Amino acid sequence: MRNAEEAMIREVASHFQYEGILQKIVPYGNGHINDTYLLTYAVGCMGLIRVILQRINTHVFQKPVEVMENILHITSYLHEKIKTAGGDPYRETLNLIPTREGKAYYQGADEAYWRSFVFITDAFCYDTVERAEDFYQSALAFGRFQGLLADFPAEKLHETIPGFHDTEKRFSDFQRAVSKDEKGRAKEVQTEIEFVRSRKEETSFFTERIRRKELPLRVTHNDTKFNNIMIDSETGKGICVIDLDTTMPGLAVYDFGDSIRFGASTGAEDERDLSKVRLNLELFQIYTKGFIQGCGGSLTKEELKLLPMGARMMTYECGMRFLADYLQGDVYFKTCRKGQNLDRARTQFKLVREMEEHWTEMNRIVENEMTLCVR
Ligand code: ADP
Ligand code: GN1
Ligand code: MG
């Protein structure tokens, strides 16, 4: 890390209610959005204590104060609920560490917004599904998360990114990015653009059902990537759902779908060799089972039936977002190499095709898991 960056982090850290001597600062995790650092403090005879310090990406979250109001609200609610149920509220939910002024965030002189979380020890986030059991545990945990928030007063939540999973809106944004073609990249990606456009009809699938009130809006996470869950290193259980920036009213099928998009692929999200990217139906079945169980019977029959469509839609939508970002010059998702957003878009489109080809099997798997759960 550069000296200037380290000095800046030290300055920011001095505004939080940390104790001890700051020993080490390292950039941390593989999120695409925020800048995350792991800080280690030596605290008297207590030894080393770690904390997470994050700079909120204000290009993505244009109302960071609202994001923090949501997070404070959600984490306080979860903390109490977990405590009452006899769980460990310092491991099973995120906990904010306040600033010295008692606020949930610190606003630096440069307009940057910072927040800090208690570090969840003895647990890991994985970027790929190495063991089916971990994926199953993540499904249980994401399902339970929805259950825990079932009675949360949803009207108190801000919509941190308007229309986050409004695929119709995402499609219009995409079309705008293609017509502007700011970086002159559209000509190289005509096949991919055509792929998105040819599926335009599908974009209103869920938005229509929301308008017709056919599907219930719930408090959902909306970014249920496998690396947004912490797996306990001792028990192997999905211990804590993290990355709560987009937790707001949404559809259960979004949370199901986004997990499938990322975790049930045989390849990395940015894999260049598309022959390695397939839909793993075994993982699809395992996640379906875990998610339905995790939701504890709260999903309606209609929601259950639409789980496969949730997977297809989230994958298609994410691919379209990656491609739009590529056309706009990689301004939204972090990249570490040229063409990474295009590669990401291509893996998503390959997966959509896989899902279209395995549509009957996906539906059969869900129907089967529905029956097993009802029994
Ligand atoms: P992004 O929005 O950029 O994805 P995340 O909030 O998901 O940011 O954090 C990035 C990474 O930091 C996570 O994948 C995880 O590895 C790590 N992380 C975040 N919060 C904690 C925490 N409280 N304890 C331990 N690790 C954490
Ligand atoms: C981003 O923050 P992270 O890396 O968990 C993005 C998701 C995408 C995902 C694709 C706020 O998630 O919507 O599905 O990248 N988060 C936001 O990997 O846009
Ligand atoms: Mg994340």
Side-chain angles (χ1 to χ4, degrees), residues 13 96 117 188 211 256 260 270 355:
L96 283 163
F117 294 109
E188 331 146 9
R211 280 192 285 269
F256 174 83
I260 297 299
D270 62 350
M355 291 181 193

Side-chain angles (χ1 to χ4, degrees), residues 28-38 51-52 54-55 61 93-95 115 117-121 123-127 223 225 227-230 240 242-245 334:
Y28 198 66
N30 288 320
H32 291 345
I33 304 294
N34 299 303
D35 296 327
T36 306
Y37 297 88
L38 177 64
V51 295
I52 290 285
Q54 255 181 356
R55 175 172 31 216
F61 296 103
T93 175
L94 285 176
N95 287 271
R115 63 181 175 207
F117 294 109
V118 170
F119 181 78
I120 298 166
T121 53
F124 295 96
C125 285
Y126 298 101
D127 287 304
D223 187 4
K225 229 158 79 164
N227 69 7
N228 283 332
I229 202 115
M230 305 220 48
C240 182
I242 64 166
D243 204 344
L244 306 177
D245 297 325
K334 282 188 193 173

Side-chain angles (χ1 to χ4, degrees), residues 171-232:
F171 185 83
S172 316
D173 295 347
F174 170 79
Q175 292 280 62
R176 211 169 307 115
V178 178
S179 2
K180 276 197 175 169
D181 192 19
E182 278 173 76
K183 299 286 163 185
R185 291 174 172 176
K187 56 184 177 306
E188 331 146 9
V189 293
Q190 282 306 311
T191 316
E192 288 77 8
I193 292 173
E194 190 39 43
F195 183 94
V196 174
R197 287 182 167 162
S198 64
R199 285 156 181 81
K200 178 178 188 285
E201 292 305 302
E202 291 183 7
T203 60
S204 60
F205 188 90
F206 286 118
T207 38
E208 260 304 307
R209 279 165 177 75
I210 293 175
R211 280 192 285 269
R212 293 204 299 258
K213 297 199 182 343
E214 285 175 14
L215 288 170
L217 276 179
R218 302 176 182 276
V219 178
T220 49
H221 184 278
N222 297 307
D223 187 4
T224 51
K225 229 158 79 164
F226 188 55
N227 69 7
N228 283 332
I229 202 115
M230 305 220 48
I231 309 267
D232 187 301

